[in-house]
Structure formats: structure tokens, C-alpha cells
Amino acid sequence: AGIALAGVVVSFALMVAMAIMVGSFRDSVSGWLDRVLVAPLYGRMPIGATDFIPPAVMARVARHADVARVEWMRLQQIDLDPRRPAVTLMVRDLSPDDPGARLPLTGKSLSLAELPAGAIPIWISEAMTDLHGWRLGDTVRLPLAGQARSVTVAGIWRDFGRQHGTVVIGRADHARLVGEDAEQLATDVALWPRTGVAASALAAALRRDVPETARLEFGEPGEIRARSLRIFDRSFAVTYLLEIVAIGIGLAGIGASFSAQALARQREFGMLRHLGVSRRELMRLLAFESAGLTLFGGAAGGALGFAVAMVLIRVVNPQSFHWRMDLSVPWGLLVSVTALLLAAGVGTALLATRRATGVGPLRAVREDW
């Protein structure tokens, strides 16, 4: 029983830990995408492109008859520490009075009244606090236009898209620091079509009326979200395989243990049969034994798996990837897998002991004669 229990505990604990960790990560990414994808249509320069959207093209897009509103964004890499990877600088349309409308903040954001007089606010991702030690309210130096500029950390936000850190600064503030000409450059755009115009129709109209936008990669929020989650699921497909292997190992342990127990208890079975216990009643007894063992192993494995999952979510993940996630327990999946494990455990145990319980009562106790 101890050997079988160990297999169930270990396998179920691994399954629970992986399910909670992956489920929490996926739900956090899904919620993050819902927060950041607020426009009906997005466009960006191709990945790897080194140039920007020209100011003349930006003006033509903003004046297009089907465009009701437009927000521009610029992404570029800056070096803060030669010993660490480059950090992403995100220059975007952002209201200092309500940065949470565009950024998934993890806590309080300092208002303009709470900042030092004349301070330029920035908002940093969680990775910046781990890798560079920046904290809320710190005054730091950013390399902009060949000079180190003083800025103040006004808030911290969650960014699952960039692991090495992201610094967000408003376009108006960036223009004050580096000049209007540099500020007019952009790499990404968020578009709101006028009433009655679909997002896909707006993308087609821009490609037709502003040929320079043919280089842009357009996408709607639903499409971007679905593609991102597909990439996530493919990345963690191996964990699902590990969960299946773990359950298989646990069931194999149950089968091997009950087979060994059946051989050792063969005379016990024979004596019970000799005293009038039918084979059906004996199999029912063994079913209760295996069910109790499996449930106990599942409860112990579930508690152990939850503890391991908390370590993965609260300690390992922040240390490895420098972002946090919200705990999300997939109760439906865990209950379903527990029921499946219980049924499989009982079935495996009965299959393993079927031969031993089928021996005649006299033959089973002949060694006691």
C-alpha cells in the first residue's frame, strides 16, 4: 500500500503543480491581453525592421476619412547596463492622470501632484524592479538622444511581452526631452474606425489610400489574442505531456503494487472464499481498498502539488522571468482528473488482482494443510 501510495502522491502532485502553474500563467496572460488590446485595429512595422513610420505617412493615416481616432507608439532598445540585455523604451500616447487606461498597473501610480516639480514621469515593468532595482518614486537616468535624462518612476505595470524590462514614457514628455522631430517617429499604431466602418475594412482602406501602410502588419484584438494564446499553448505543450506521463506512472505503480499484494494475499482471499465470501464481494472489497488508497494519495498529492505550484508561481517564476502572475486554480480540470484517476486506479487494481481472486478456495489455502 505504501508503494502504491507513493506513486499516486508523486504523479498527482506533479500534475496538480503543473496544472495550477500553467493555468495561472495562461489566465494572467489572457487578462493582460484584454487590458492592453483596447483598440479595434492595430498596425506595426514588421519584426526586425529598423526604420520607422514616416511623419508624412502618420499624418495621412490620422487624416483618413475612416479613422476616428489614432494613437501612436514607438518601440526601441536602449542600454542601461552593459552587463544586462537591452531594455525596451516604449513611447506612446498616455495620459499622466490616468495611465491605468492603457497600462495594466500592479499598484498605485503617482499623480502629477505627487511628483517633484518639473519631473518627467515614466512607468516601468516588473522586470525593471528585479533587474535594475528601480522602485516607485525613484529618480533615474534614461539615455535619450545621446544624453542621460532624469525621469521619475510614477508606476509599475505588468508586461508579459518583454522579459528584460520595459520603460514607458508619454509622447509629449518624450518630445520635451529629445525634440519634436524625433518624437514624430513611430513603429506601432492603434486605430479606432469611424462609426459603421469595420476594422478589416479600415485596414483595407488604408492600404488602398495610403500605399506606404502596405508594410504595416494589421491585426484585430481577437486575432492577436487568439494567436498569442496559441503560441502560449504550444510553448507549454510539453507540460501537458509530462502530466499524462505522471498519471501513467502513478497508475503503473498502483497496478504493480496491487499485483504484488494479490500474490501475497492469495491465501487470505482463499480463506475468505472458504468462509463464504463470494468472488464478487471480494472484488468489491478490493475496489473499496483501491478507491480509498487512490483518494488518500490524491488528497496528499493535491496538497503537495498546491505547495509546489505556489513555489513556482511566487518564487521560481519571478526569479526566472521577472514578472508576476495571479493565482488561478483550474478546479474543473482537477476534479475531472481526480475522478479519472480514481476510476483508473480502481480499474487497474481490480485488473491486477483478478487472477489471484479467481483461484479456488481449497487451492488457495493448500499451503496451510
Side-chain angles (χ1 to χ4, degrees), residues 181-224:
D181 292 339
E183 175 56 26
Q184 292 303 315
L185 301 176
T187 58
D188 298 64
V189 60
L191 297 160
W192 282 260
R194 65 176 175 83
T195 304
V197 178
S200 57
L202 176 58
L206 288 175
R207 288 193 175 100
R208 180 188 67 244
D209 301 333
V210 188
E212 294 84 354
T213 60
R215 292 194 58 199
L216 297 180
E217 298 175 349
F218 287 103
E220 299 180 34
E223 175 189 352
I224 298 173

Side-chain angles (χ1 to χ4, degrees), residues 8-366:
V8 173
V9 169
V10 172
S11 62
F12 196 67
L14 175 60
M15 191 281 297
V16 169
M18 291 295 101
I20 294 178
M21 190 275 289
V22 175
S24 298
F25 199 178
R26 195 181 193 279
D27 287 350
S28 296
V29 170
S30 178
W32 174 76
L33 289 171
D34 292 338
R35 289 285 307 277
V36 299
L37 298 176
V38 295
L41 182 66
Y42 289 88
R44 69 175 185 181
M45 296 294 290
I47 296 177
T50 57
D51 53 344
F52 301 93
I53 303 174
V57 175
M58 295 171 61
R60 292 174 61 188
V61 169
R63 292 195 304 266
H64 195 278
D66 290 339
V67 175
R69 178 182 170 191
V70 60
E71 291 183 2
W72 299 99
M73 182 168 65
R74 172 181 174 178
L75 298 175
Q76 67 182 80
Q77 302 297 309
I78 57 175
D79 291 318
L80 298 179
D81 187 340
R83 299 168 298 177
R84 299 187 181 279
V87 170
T88 300
L89 176 65
M90 181 185 296
V91 183
R92 63 178 302 170
D93 290 317
L94 191 66
S95 172
D97 297 324
D98 187 20
R102 292 291 178 268
L103 299 176
L105 299 173
T106 61
K108 175 187 175 182
S109 178
L110 300 179
S111 64
L112 293 178
E114 296 174 301
L115 295 174
I120 301 294
I122 62 171
W123 293 264
I124 61 174
S125 66
E126 294 172 309
M128 297 299 297
T129 64
D130 294 337
L131 297 177
H132 298 275
W134 294 5
R135 297 291 184 269
L136 183 67
D138 287 354
T139 297
V140 297
R141 308 279 284 181
L142 277 184
L144 300 174
Q147 297 185 29
R149 313 282 185 165
S150 294
V151 291
T152 301
V153 177
I156 301 174
W157 63 290
R158 183 163 296 166
D159 183 14
F160 287 118
R162 287 155 286 269
Q163 181 179 343
H164 302 299
T166 308
V167 176
V168 177
I169 186 172
R171 293 182 73 227
D173 291 330
H174 187 263
R176 289 169 50 195
L177 294 176
V178 303
E180 291 293 340
D181 292 339
E183 175 56 26
Q184 292 303 315
L185 301 176
T187 58
D188 298 64
V189 60
L191 297 160
W192 282 260
R194 65 176 175 83
T195 304
V197 178
S200 57
L202 176 58
L206 288 175
R207 288 193 175 100
R208 180 188 67 244
D209 301 333
V210 188
E212 294 84 354
T213 60
R215 292 194 58 199
L216 297 180
E217 298 175 349
F218 287 103
E220 299 180 34
E223 175 189 352
I224 298 173
R225 186 179 187 277
R227 183 169 62 246
S228 300
L229 292 179
R230 281 198 302 271
I231 294 173
F232 179 93
D233 291 336
R234 284 200 301 267
S235 301
F236 284 90
V238 66
T239 62
Y240 303 130
L241 178 61
L242 286 176
E243 292 176 14
I244 295 174
V245 171
I247 295 300
I249 292 174
L251 294 178
I254 292 176
S257 177
F258 271 92
S259 296
Q261 289 185 52
L263 293 176
R265 299 171 63 187
Q266 195 167 16
R267 286 181 292 176
E268 174 192 340
F269 297 155
M271 181 59 67
L272 292 174
R273 294 287 303 281
H274 188 71
L275 294 175
V277 178
S278 67
R279 187 185 182 195
R280 182 177 180 181
E281 292 172 331
L282 191 57
M283 295 294 286
R284 185 164 64 238
L285 173 65
L286 292 173
F288 278 116
E289 286 185 10
S290 60
L293 183 65
T294 304
L295 283 176
F296 185 80
L304 179 61
F306 183 82
V308 173
M310 293 303 296
V311 173
L312 291 173
I313 293 173
R314 304 301 187 196
V315 180
V316 176
N317 187 74
Q319 290 181 349
S320 301
F321 302 105
H322 311 294
W323 55 51
R324 278 74 178 169
M325 65 180 74
D326 299 321
L327 177 64
S328 178
V329 181
W331 292 110
L333 174 63
L334 296 183
V335 171
S336 299
V337 172
T338 301
L340 180 62
L341 179 65
L342 178 61
V346 172
T348 303
L350 292 180
L351 184 63
T353 57
R354 183 178 181 183
R355 182 177 179 181
T357 58
V359 178
L362 294 178
R363 182 182 174 189
V365 298
R366 70 183 184 277

